[in-house]
Amino acid sequence: MTEFIPPGTRFHPLPSPFPMKRGGALVGAHVAFETWGELNAARDNAVLIVTGLSPDAHAAANEGNPEAGWWEPMLGPGKPIDTDRWFVVCVNSLGSCKGSTGPASMNPSTGALYRLDFPDLSVEDGADAAASVVRGLGITRLACLIGNSMGGMTALSLLQRHPGIAHAHINISGAPRALPFSIAIRSLQREAIRLDPNWNHGQYDEVTYPESGMRMARKLGVITYRSALEWDGRFGRVRLESDRPDEEPFGLEFQVESYLEGHARRFVRRFDPNCYLYLSRSMDWFDLGPDGLRQIHVDKVLAIGVHTDILFPLQQQQEIADGLREGGADATFLPLESPQGHDAFLVDIARFGPAVAGFLATL
Amino acid sequence: MTEFIPPGTRFHPLPSPFPMKRGGALVGAHVAFETWGELNAARDNAVLIVTGLSPDAHAAANEGNPEAGWWEPMLGPGKPIDTDRWFVVCVNSLGSCKGSTGPASMNPSTGALYRLDFPDLSVEDGADAAASVVRGLGITRLACLIGNSMGGMTALSLLQRHPGIAHAHINISGAPRALPFSIAIRSLQREAIRLDPNWNHGQYDEVTYPESGMRMARKLGVITYRSALEWDGRFGRVRLESDRPDEEPFGLEFQVESYLEGHARRFVRRFDPNCYLYLSRSMDWFDLGPDGLRQIHVDKVLAIGVHTDILFPLQQQQEIADGLREGGADATFLPLESPQGHDAFLVDIARFGPAVAGFLATL
């Protein structure tokens, strides 16, 4: 499924075998990554970005790929994460389908795709894989570790399992553990995929593909990634042009329905359903433990959250800041008034840009 | 589908033909209702309850049916809605499958079930049908009109379309119009049903029944009817007894998943899928209009909302109180701190009981 992988992606081979937290090991696995800027002679200007569930490693345009990336306004020369100063690395999560080894990769022991033979995937495995990329680049200590959404979980796991790996940390809309509302949402997303007859216990192909299940899962995702407040202003009760544009009974009629449909259509063929299931479940399983935060040693922390986030609610970022402070960090909790909910960090650059830039300027 | 109808249900025949707002008319239609207490000689002690999407008319035990009803702790002798004082009527919504005429009823012009031949259903049609029940009982003016959730929409429509029908009004977790977040949720619920091959454009039966679609729709409903806050305390990250009780890949593992599954299983065969689709869409369509609230004449109003409601958010009940006050009502907005979200009125009797009783005591 190479169509998922952006051009210019680089690959870091993981130690083989690569042991997985819940059992099993990967043989001949690798992690996709991209970089921006230059590592300085002291090797102390490195910033690692670990991502949410769906992004690839192409966070922004670079020499290998001039296309805009998923965090384009945040990353580049003179931008909030200033690549004139920082050597920035972004990894594609282990278990994803955007270049890193995952359920959509070839299983070397069978010559077929892993599909559901991929071992249980944990956030911790993604953290270990990201740490291996860092070491492979000759970096002993990151200047800053940045994690967004699921990447906020991965980052905390990285700090816990690899003490000293980072001087500073920015946790954006992350969480120290999954809570039942988000577990319920993700469980329902997975059920939508599993119920699609074309999923067929993971044995689908490009022709017989669980498109309906993926569409449902993505729509529910988009609903919970944004916020009611944003949509009130953006869509209100505006209808599509014709009164009954969709001839199907109970078909699309309101702009908000069409918006969801468009998002879903763009996603369903660009993300492997089995990878989605594995990554989704890994988040449910994630729990740093009752003393996890205060046992982490990191010097400076910025934990950013958004009032309108229903998936990773604000009190979870407060908990991250408080817990890391108990562990000795100089930790700041920054709640933002973004109306865009969980995904605000992707779009509300007016608020997130200065927050991230301001913190990095203190390092 | 008579198994949906509680024993003791009474039936009010609607005028025939009964014109529908968006076109068409029902012939030989009726509305199911139940009553509690006695109408006094002056006929000025009547209270009407209009419900959310799924309840039947059996709000509480009565002579016709001693089983507990869906609002049992609120309604009865000495209870917050005190049937020693009030003559209480609860109607099953037009378009439902709990006794009132709807898509699961026989179409007299064909001798078959209406299914998708039922005309477009609007909240306004449900309001007109409820008004007809009130008139049929010889009541000119209700002492109080109470509407919960979708019933809060129906109640506003009743007041708008039948001026003078009520002296007072309690609007609980209602809305003067559907907003895009709730439209999006309901659209996805309908899509889950429509995608189920067994739905078959409404042509299912008891054997070939859209059970998966209804289960998905109900789970999404329950997720949005309650609140993350409640679930954090109630379920946390507690797992089911065995580590992997569900042998299916990505099967149930956490208590919150099992809770949703149980709710869904209890619901899917007790509510007709086509009726669900019609009632769900009627809510999306509902919009009282920009001047709707201030054009309503009602004397006293209590609009109650809950901080944790994500489906009918608190600002909508504030808008109801403010708008009806502009129209001349003595209107109070009462935000409650219930953790249970939209459905709090069903379970948080400690807060809702005194609020409703206190208001009724002023009448």
Side-chain angles (χ1 to χ4, degrees), chain A residues 187 191 219 251 257 281, chain B residues 187 191 219 251 257 281 284:
Chain A
S187 177
E191 187 166 353
K219 285 187 180 183
E257 295 178 282
R281 196 47 144 174
Chain B
S187 177
E191 188 167 353
K219 286 187 180 184
E257 296 179 282
R281 195 48 142 176
D284 292 359

Side-chain angles (χ1 to χ4, degrees), chain A residues 120 178 180 187 191 194 201 215 219 231 236-237 239 244 248-251 253 257 281 284-285 287, chain B residues 120 178 180 187 191 194 201 215 219 231-232 237 239 244 248-251 253 257 281 284-285 287:
Chain A
D120 277 357
S187 177
E191 187 166 353
R194 293 163 57 214
H201 279 71
R215 191 167 68 237
K219 285 187 180 183
W231 287 2
R237 295 184 43 77
R239 284 174 159 81
R244 276 281 177 104
E248 283 295 302
F250 307 101
E253 180 174 339
E257 295 178 282
R281 196 47 144 174
D284 292 359
W285 283 332
D287 184 357
Chain B
D120 277 357
S187 177
E191 188 167 353
R194 293 162 58 214
H201 279 70
R215 190 166 70 237
K219 286 187 180 184
W231 287 1
D232 291 349
R237 295 184 43 77
R239 284 174 160 80
R244 273 282 178 101
E248 284 295 303
F250 308 101
E253 180 174 339
E257 296 179 282
R281 195 48 142 176
D284 292 359
W285 283 332
D287 184 356

Side-chain angles (χ1 to χ4, degrees), chain A residues 97-108:
Chain A
C97 55
K98 306 283 189 176
S100 294
T101 299
S105 305
M106 187 75 77
N107 178 352

Side-chain angles (χ1 to χ4, degrees), chain A residues 30 37 54 60 72 100-101 127 147 177 219 283 299 303 306 333 335 341 345:
Chain A
H30 55 261
S54 59
E72 190 69 31
S100 294
T101 299
R177 72 188 55 80
K219 285 187 180 183
M283 278 192 270
D299 300 323
V306 163
F333 168 57
F345 65 92

